[in-house]
PDB file of all heavy atoms in Angstrom:
ATOM      1  N   ILE V  12     -72.190  83.441   0.696  1.00  0.00           N
ATOM      2  CA  ILE V  12     -71.023  82.824   0.074  1.00  0.00           C
ATOM      3  C   ILE V  12     -70.283  82.040   1.160  1.00  0.00           C
ATOM      4  O   ILE V  12     -69.956  82.585   2.215  1.00  0.00           O
ATOM      5  CB  ILE V  12     -70.089  83.877  -0.547  1.00  0.00           C
ATOM      6  CG1 ILE V  12     -70.823  84.652  -1.641  1.00  0.00           C
ATOM      7  CG2 ILE V  12     -68.845  83.197  -1.146  1.00  0.00           C
ATOM      8  CD1 ILE V  12     -70.013  85.815  -2.223  1.00  0.00           C
ATOM      9  N   VAL V  13     -70.051  80.756   0.876  1.00  0.00           N
ATOM     10  CA  VAL V  13     -69.414  79.862   1.839  1.00  0.00           C
ATOM     11  C   VAL V  13     -68.284  79.117   1.153  1.00  0.00           C
ATOM     12  O   VAL V  13     -68.408  78.737  -0.019  1.00  0.00           O
ATOM     13  CB  VAL V  13     -70.456  78.869   2.413  1.00  0.00           C
ATOM     14  CG1 VAL V  13     -69.800  77.844   3.326  1.00  0.00           C
ATOM     15  CG2 VAL V  13     -71.560  79.625   3.151  1.00  0.00           C
ATOM     16  N   GLN V  14     -67.204  78.918   1.865  1.00  0.00           N
ATOM     17  CA  GLN V  14     -66.105  78.126   1.318  1.00  0.00           C
ATOM     18  C   GLN V  14     -66.480  76.647   1.300  1.00  0.00           C
ATOM     19  O   GLN V  14     -67.228  76.157   2.176  1.00  0.00           O
ATOM     20  CB  GLN V  14     -64.845  78.317   2.155  1.00  0.00           C
ATOM     21  CG  GLN V  14     -64.191  79.680   2.025  1.00  0.00           C
ATOM     22  CD  GLN V  14     -63.623  79.927   0.623  1.00  0.00           C
ATOM     23  OE1 GLN V  14     -63.876  80.962   0.016  1.00  0.00           O
ATOM     24  NE2 GLN V  14     -62.850  78.986   0.137  1.00  0.00           N
ATOM     25  N   LYS V  15     -65.949  75.943   0.321  1.00  0.00           N
ATOM     26  CA  LYS V  15     -66.150  74.502   0.239  1.00  0.00           C
ATOM     27  C   LYS V  15     -65.749  73.849   1.547  1.00  0.00           C
ATOM     28  O   LYS V  15     -64.694  74.157   2.111  1.00  0.00           O
ATOM     29  CB  LYS V  15     -65.317  73.923  -0.908  1.00  0.00           C
ATOM     30  CG  LYS V  15     -65.428  72.417  -1.074  1.00  0.00           C
ATOM     31  CD  LYS V  15     -64.517  71.923  -2.189  1.00  0.00           C
ATOM     32  CE  LYS V  15     -64.522  70.397  -2.256  1.00  0.00           C
ATOM     33  NZ  LYS V  15     -63.617  69.884  -3.309  1.00  0.00           N
ATOM     34  N   GLY V  16     -66.620  72.961   2.022  1.00  0.00           N
ATOM     35  CA  GLY V  16     -66.360  72.274   3.276  1.00  0.00           C
ATOM     36  C   GLY V  16     -66.926  72.979   4.492  1.00  0.00           C
ATOM     37  O   GLY V  16     -66.973  72.402   5.588  1.00  0.00           O
ATOM     38  N   GLY V  17     -67.374  74.194   4.315  1.00  0.00           N
ATOM     39  CA  GLY V  17     -67.928  74.959   5.427  1.00  0.00           C
ATOM     40  C   GLY V  17     -69.395  74.643   5.681  1.00  0.00           C
ATOM     41  O   GLY V  17     -70.004  73.806   5.020  1.00  0.00           O
ATOM     42  N   ILE V  18     -69.959  75.326   6.666  1.00  0.00           N
ATOM     43  CA  ILE V  18     -71.371  75.149   7.014  1.00  0.00           C
ATOM     44  C   ILE V  18     -72.166  76.346   6.493  1.00  0.00           C
ATOM     45  O   ILE V  18     -71.836  77.494   6.780  1.00  0.00           O
ATOM     46  CB  ILE V  18     -71.561  75.036   8.537  1.00  0.00           C
ATOM     47  CG1 ILE V  18     -70.738  73.867   9.093  1.00  0.00           C
ATOM     48  CG2 ILE V  18     -73.035  74.848   8.874  1.00  0.00           C
ATOM     49  CD1 ILE V  18     -70.746  73.793  10.604  1.00  0.00           C
ATOM     50  N   SER V  19     -73.215  76.052   5.737  1.00  0.00           N
ATOM     51  CA  SER V  19     -74.113  77.102   5.236  1.00  0.00           C
ATOM     52  C   SER V  19     -75.340  77.125   6.138  1.00  0.00           C
ATOM     53  O   SER V  19     -75.921  76.072   6.424  1.00  0.00           O
ATOM     54  CB  SER V  19     -74.529  76.805   3.802  1.00  0.00           C
ATOM     55  OG  SER V  19     -73.403  76.680   2.951  1.00  0.00           O
ATOM     56  N   ARG V  61     -76.398  65.597   4.605  1.00  0.00           N
ATOM     57  CA  ARG V  61     -75.700  66.817   5.036  1.00  0.00           C
ATOM     58  C   ARG V  61     -76.645  67.955   5.394  1.00  0.00           C
ATOM     59  O   ARG V  61     -76.196  69.030   5.806  1.00  0.00           O
ATOM     60  CB  ARG V  61     -74.742  67.257   3.927  1.00  0.00           C
ATOM     61  CG  ARG V  61     -73.620  66.263   3.626  1.00  0.00           C
ATOM     62  CD  ARG V  61     -72.647  66.796   2.577  1.00  0.00           C
ATOM     63  NE  ARG V  61     -73.260  66.959   1.265  1.00  0.00           N
ATOM     64  CZ  ARG V  61     -73.529  68.124   0.698  1.00  0.00           C
ATOM     65  NH1 ARG V  61     -73.251  69.262   1.338  1.00  0.00           N
ATOM     66  NH2 ARG V  61     -74.068  68.176  -0.504  1.00  0.00           N
ATOM     67  N   ILE V  77     -76.420  73.341   6.074  1.00  0.00           N
ATOM     68  CA  ILE V  77     -75.796  72.447   5.092  1.00  0.00           C
ATOM     69  C   ILE V  77     -74.368  72.215   5.556  1.00  0.00           C
ATOM     70  O   ILE V  77     -73.549  73.143   5.561  1.00  0.00           O
ATOM     71  CB  ILE V  77     -75.813  73.044   3.672  1.00  0.00           C
ATOM     72  CG1 ILE V  77     -77.238  73.418   3.271  1.00  0.00           C
ATOM     73  CG2 ILE V  77     -75.233  72.029   2.685  1.00  0.00           C
ATOM     74  CD1 ILE V  77     -77.320  74.147   1.930  1.00  0.00           C
ATOM     75  N   MET V  78     -74.099  71.006   5.976  1.00  0.00           N
ATOM     76  CA  MET V  78     -72.763  70.656   6.454  1.00  0.00           C
ATOM     77  C   MET V  78     -71.869  70.302   5.273  1.00  0.00           C
ATOM     78  O   MET V  78     -72.347  69.818   4.242  1.00  0.00           O
ATOM     79  CB  MET V  78     -72.848  69.468   7.414  1.00  0.00           C
ATOM     80  CG  MET V  78     -73.890  69.604   8.510  1.00  0.00           C
ATOM     81  SD  MET V  78     -73.617  71.014   9.565  1.00  0.00           S
ATOM     82  CE  MET V  78     -72.185  70.414  10.465  1.00  0.00           C
ATOM     83  N   ASP V  79     -70.554  70.520   5.445  1.00  0.00           N
ATOM     84  CA  ASP V  79     -69.584  70.159   4.403  1.00  0.00           C
ATOM     85  C   ASP V  79     -70.080  70.645   3.043  1.00  0.00           C
ATOM     86  O   ASP V  79     -70.214  69.878   2.091  1.00  0.00           O
ATOM     87  CB  ASP V  79     -69.387  68.639   4.394  1.00  0.00           C
ATOM     88  CG  ASP V  79     -68.285  68.196   3.461  1.00  0.00           C
ATOM     89  OD1 ASP V  79     -67.363  68.984   3.203  1.00  0.00           O
ATOM     90  OD2 ASP V  79     -68.364  67.050   2.955  1.00  0.00           O
ATOM     91  N   SER V  80     -70.377  71.927   2.935  1.00  0.00           N
ATOM     92  CA  SER V  80     -70.957  72.493   1.725  1.00  0.00           C
ATOM     93  C   SER V  80     -70.059  72.240   0.516  1.00  0.00           C
ATOM     94  O   SER V  80     -68.825  72.360   0.596  1.00  0.00           O
ATOM     95  CB  SER V  80     -71.167  74.006   1.910  1.00  0.00           C
ATOM     96  OG  SER V  80     -72.067  74.242   2.972  1.00  0.00           O
ATOM     97  N   GLN V  81     -70.702  71.897  -0.602  1.00  0.00           N
ATOM     98  CA  GLN V  81     -70.006  71.566  -1.837  1.00  0.00           C
ATOM     99  C   GLN V  81     -70.422  72.522  -2.964  1.00  0.00           C
ATOM    100  O   GLN V  81     -71.534  73.057  -2.945  1.00  0.00           O
ATOM    101  CB  GLN V  81     -70.332  70.139  -2.240  1.00  0.00           C
ATOM    102  CG  GLN V  81     -69.902  69.095  -1.221  1.00  0.00           C
ATOM    103  CD  GLN V  81     -68.394  69.065  -1.031  1.00  0.00           C
ATOM    104  OE1 GLN V  81     -67.638  69.029  -2.007  1.00  0.00           O
ATOM    105  NE2 GLN V  81     -67.954  69.086   0.226  1.00  0.00           N
ATOM    106  N   PRO V  82     -69.552  72.716  -3.963  1.00  0.00           N
ATOM    107  CA  PRO V  82     -69.922  73.596  -5.081  1.00  0.00           C
ATOM    108  C   PRO V  82     -71.254  73.205  -5.722  1.00  0.00           C
ATOM    109  O   PRO V  82     -72.005  74.079  -6.177  1.00  0.00           O
ATOM    110  CB  PRO V  82     -68.743  73.432  -6.054  1.00  0.00           C
ATOM    111  CG  PRO V  82     -67.583  73.131  -5.155  1.00  0.00           C
ATOM    112  CD  PRO V  82     -68.145  72.276  -4.056  1.00  0.00           C
ATOM    113  N   GLY V  83     -71.581  71.929  -5.738  1.00  0.00           N
ATOM    114  CA  GLY V  83     -72.855  71.469  -6.291  1.00  0.00           C
ATOM    115  C   GLY V  83     -74.066  71.903  -5.482  1.00  0.00           C
ATOM    116  O   GLY V  83     -75.208  71.762  -5.948  1.00  0.00           O
ATOM    117  N   ASP V  84     -73.832  72.420  -4.277  1.00  0.00           N
ATOM    118  CA  ASP V  84     -74.940  72.939  -3.458  1.00  0.00           C
ATOM    119  C   ASP V  84     -75.306  74.370  -3.848  1.00  0.00           C
ATOM    120  O   ASP V  84     -76.293  74.912  -3.333  1.00  0.00           O
ATOM    121  CB  ASP V  84     -74.554  72.923  -1.970  1.00  0.00           C
ATOM    122  CG  ASP V  84     -74.298  71.531  -1.441  1.00  0.00           C
ATOM    123  OD1 ASP V  84     -74.922  70.571  -1.950  1.00  0.00           O
ATOM    124  OD2 ASP V  84     -73.468  71.381  -0.518  1.00  0.00           O
ATOM    125  N   SER V  85     -74.506  74.971  -4.709  1.00  0.00           N
ATOM    126  CA  SER V  85     -74.773  76.349  -5.143  1.00  0.00           C
ATOM    127  C   SER V  85     -76.122  76.395  -5.851  1.00  0.00           C
ATOM    128  O   SER V  85     -76.325  75.745  -6.881  1.00  0.00           O
ATOM    129  CB  SER V  85     -73.662  76.851  -6.068  1.00  0.00           C
ATOM    130  OG  SER V  85     -72.430  76.898  -5.388  1.00  0.00           O
ATOM    131  N   LEU V 109     -77.227  80.881  -2.637  1.00  0.00           N
ATOM    132  CA  LEU V 109     -76.046  80.323  -1.984  1.00  0.00           C
ATOM    133  C   LEU V 109     -74.970  80.030  -3.020  1.00  0.00           C
ATOM    134  O   LEU V 109     -75.240  79.365  -4.026  1.00  0.00           O
ATOM    135  CB  LEU V 109     -76.411  79.042  -1.241  1.00  0.00           C
ATOM    136  CG  LEU V 109     -75.262  78.261  -0.612  1.00  0.00           C
ATOM    137  CD1 LEU V 109     -74.590  79.073   0.482  1.00  0.00           C
ATOM    138  CD2 LEU V 109     -75.771  76.922  -0.065  1.00  0.00           C
ATOM    139  N   ILE V 110     -73.783  80.517  -2.772  1.00  0.00           N
ATOM    140  CA  ILE V 110     -72.629  80.229  -3.629  1.00  0.00           C
ATOM    141  C   ILE V 110     -71.573  79.559  -2.767  1.00  0.00           C
ATOM    142  O   ILE V 110     -71.171  80.095  -1.729  1.00  0.00           O
ATOM    143  CB  ILE V 110     -72.069  81.513  -4.263  1.00  0.00           C
ATOM    144  CG1 ILE V 110     -73.121  82.137  -5.187  1.00  0.00           C
ATOM    145  CG2 ILE V 110     -70.792  81.208  -5.052  1.00  0.00           C
ATOM    146  CD1 ILE V 110     -72.733  83.505  -5.719  1.00  0.00           C
ATOM    147  N   ILE V 111     -71.130  78.383  -3.207  1.00  0.00           N
ATOM    148  CA  ILE V 111     -70.071  77.657  -2.510  1.00  0.00           C
ATOM    149  C   ILE V 111     -68.788  77.820  -3.330  1.00  0.00           C
ATOM    150  O   ILE V 111     -68.712  77.383  -4.478  1.00  0.00           O
ATOM    151  CB  ILE V 111     -70.399  76.166  -2.339  1.00  0.00           C
ATOM    152  CG1 ILE V 111     -71.771  76.007  -1.671  1.00  0.00           C
ATOM    153  CG2 ILE V 111     -69.287  75.473  -1.536  1.00  0.00           C
ATOM    154  CD1 ILE V 111     -71.890  76.619  -0.312  1.00  0.00           C
ATOM    155  N   LYS V 112     -67.785  78.433  -2.734  1.00  0.00           N
ATOM    156  CA  LYS V 112     -66.522  78.684  -3.436  1.00  0.00           C
ATOM    157  C   LYS V 112     -65.588  77.489  -3.279  1.00  0.00           C
ATOM    158  O   LYS V 112     -65.384  77.018  -2.161  1.00  0.00           O
ATOM    159  CB  LYS V 112     -65.870  79.948  -2.890  1.00  0.00           C
ATOM    160  CG  LYS V 112     -66.517  81.232  -3.369  1.00  0.00           C
ATOM    161  CD  LYS V 112     -65.571  82.410  -3.158  1.00  0.00           C
ATOM    162  CE  LYS V 112     -66.029  83.606  -3.964  1.00  0.00           C
ATOM    163  NZ  LYS V 112     -65.103  84.758  -3.816  1.00  0.00           N
ATOM    164  N   PRO V 113     -65.015  77.022  -4.397  1.00  0.00           N
ATOM    165  CA  PRO V 113     -64.126  75.853  -4.352  1.00  0.00           C
ATOM    166  C   PRO V 113     -62.843  76.130  -3.553  1.00  0.00           C
ATOM    167  O   PRO V 113     -62.465  77.263  -3.375  1.00  0.00           O
ATOM    168  CB  PRO V 113     -63.779  75.568  -5.813  1.00  0.00           C
ATOM    169  CG  PRO V 113     -64.610  76.479  -6.622  1.00  0.00           C
ATOM    170  CD  PRO V 113     -65.187  77.533  -5.749  1.00  0.00           C
TER     171      PRO V 113
END
Side-chain angles (χ1 to χ4, degrees):
Chain V
I12 299 174
V13 175
Q14 289 294 131
K15 179 183 174 182
I18 302 173
S19 303
R61 296 184 294 109
I77 305 174
M78 311 300 288
D79 187 26
S80 298
Q81 299 297 312
D84 297 330
S85 297
L109 174 64
I110 297 172
I111 307 300
K112 284 198 164 182

